[in-house]
């Protein structure tokens, strides 16, 4: 496991033990690739230090390099890795509820909406790419799904996924899921729990984060 989260999600409530902060596996993949230097020596020395939250450690959309952004899982991972503040960008649903999303019109590439019946409610349905005989893009694959297309209950029924849209996609599966980069894992790529703004406030208070 990359992380050990000391939290349980049960009946809509979050219950926490004291977090012990730790790096994810990423630094131990990255540091050996750094050229031999004082910097590399200093980075390795950090392994011996006790970790603690820092004021300047702010989780941008949660721990979104490994987990789907603005999801419960990304927020918990950020807290576990020592962020002192966690970000919930806010937009609104069709029934005027506030939810955690970076943009009003990003559901088609940050959630699984296109693979669900709710795709019928999107502002623009999926259209495959038009390619020339050499495979170059004549017209990129397109879709547009907004939080304002959905009620809060519909929004909460979706799953967050790693941010991605394939402009050459010929079908929804190709559009939604990338051939992952080396530094990303498949484990958490499309199982994120979406959150309302109110839920994020409750969570951050319980985590004692700004």
């Amino acid at each position: 496991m990359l992380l050990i989260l000391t939290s349980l999600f049960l009946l809509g409530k979050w219950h926490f033990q004291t977090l012990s902060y730790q790096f994810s596996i990423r630094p131990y993949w990255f540091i050996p690739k750094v050229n031999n230097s004082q910097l590399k020596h200093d980075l390795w020395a950090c392994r011996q230090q006790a970790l603690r939250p820092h004021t300047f450690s702010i989780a941008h959309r949660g721990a979104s390099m490994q987990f789907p952004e603005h999801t419960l899982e990304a927020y918990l991972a950020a807290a576990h890795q020592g962020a002192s503040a966690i970000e919930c960008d806010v937009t609104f649903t069709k029934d005027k509820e506030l939810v955690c999303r970076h943009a009003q019109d990003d559901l088609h590439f940050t959630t699984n909406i296109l693979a669900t019946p709710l795709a019928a409610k999107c502002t623009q349905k999926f259209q495959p790419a038009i390619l020339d005989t050499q495979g170059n893009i004549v017209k990129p694959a397109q879709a547009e799904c907004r939080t304002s297309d959905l009620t809060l209950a519909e929004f909460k029924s979706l799953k967050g996924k790693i941010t991605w849209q394939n402009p050459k996609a010929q079908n929804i599966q190709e559009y939604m899921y990338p051939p992952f980069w080396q530094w990303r894992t498949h484990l958490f790529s499309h199982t994120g729990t979406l959150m309302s703004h109110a839920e994020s406030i409750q969570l951050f208070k319980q985590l004692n984060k700004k």
Side-chain angles (χ1 to χ4, degrees), residues 126-129 141 166 168-177:
F126 172 76
Q127 297 178 353
N166 178 4
K168 289 189 173 184
Q170 297 298 295
N171 56 60
I172 288 174
Q173 185 71 15
E174 289 180 357
Y175 187 78
M176 290 175 59
Y177 300 117

Side-chain angles (χ1 to χ4, degrees), residues 43-187:
L43 289 172
W44 274 128
C46 291
R47 292 178 299 169
Q48 310 304 322
Q49 297 179 2
L51 304 182
R52 55 184 174 80
H54 194 282
T55 304
F56 293 105
S57 177
I58 301 171
H60 180 57
R61 312 184 202 181
S64 56
M65 294 296 283
Q66 283 184 299
F67 295 83
E69 65 182 50
H70 289 309
T71 62
L72 171 64
E73 292 77 10
Y75 292 152
L76 290 176
H80 190 66
Q81 292 177 11
S84 64
I86 303 175
E87 175 195 32
C88 166
D89 290 322
V90 178
T91 187
F92 60 90
T93 61
K94 186 176 182 178
D95 48 353
K96 304 300 188 294
E97 297 289 340
L98 299 179
V99 296
C100 297
R101 284 291 93 193
H102 176 68
Q104 181 67 26
D105 57 351
D106 68 4
L107 295 184
H108 51 290
F109 60 89
T110 64
T111 76
N112 68 335
I113 188 171
L114 292 177
T116 76
L118 291 174
K121 296 193 172 188
C122 290
T123 296
Q124 179 179 339
K125 310 302 186 290
F126 172 76
Q127 297 178 353
I130 299 174
L131 308 176
D132 64 20
T133 55
Q134 284 75 45
N136 298 312
I137 297 174
V138 176
K139 184 178 181 180
Q142 295 179 330
E144 184 176 335
C145 304
R146 304 174 180 175
T147 56
S148 56
D149 292 329
L150 308 178
T151 65
L152 176 62
E154 290 169 335
F155 173 84
K156 291 291 299 295
S157 74
L158 300 175
K159 293 294 184 182
K161 73 177 190 68
I162 292 292
T163 301
W164 165 263
Q165 53 187 324
N166 178 4
K168 289 189 173 184
Q170 297 298 295
N171 56 60
I172 288 174
Q173 185 71 15
E174 289 180 357
Y175 187 78
M176 290 175 59
Y177 300 117
F180 269 77
W181 299 279
Q182 288 183 343
W183 42 268
R184 275 190 167 163
T185 173
H186 288 271
L187 289 175

Side-chain angles (χ1 to χ4, degrees), residues 3-77:
L3 302 168
I4 299 176
L5 298 178
T6 56
S7 308
L8 296 176
F9 185 61
L10 180 62
L11 299 178
K13 300 293 183 181
W14 298 279
H15 304 278
F16 302 97
Q17 301 173 13
T18 301
L19 290 174
S20 61
Y21 302 105
Q22 58 182 265
F23 292 125
S24 70
I25 198 65
R26 285 171 51 80
Y28 303 106
W29 177 89
F30 173 76
I31 296 172
K33 300 179 184 299
V34 176
N35 293 333
N36 287 327
S37 62
Q38 185 62 41
L39 172 62
K40 184 172 185 174
H41 173 78
D42 291 344
L43 289 172
W44 274 128
C46 291
R47 292 178 299 169
Q48 310 304 322
Q49 297 179 2
L51 304 182
R52 55 184 174 80
H54 194 282
T55 304
F56 293 105
S57 177
I58 301 171
H60 180 57
R61 312 184 202 181
S64 56
M65 294 296 283
Q66 283 184 299
F67 295 83
E69 65 182 50
H70 289 309
T71 62
L72 171 64
E73 292 77 10
Y75 292 152
L76 290 176

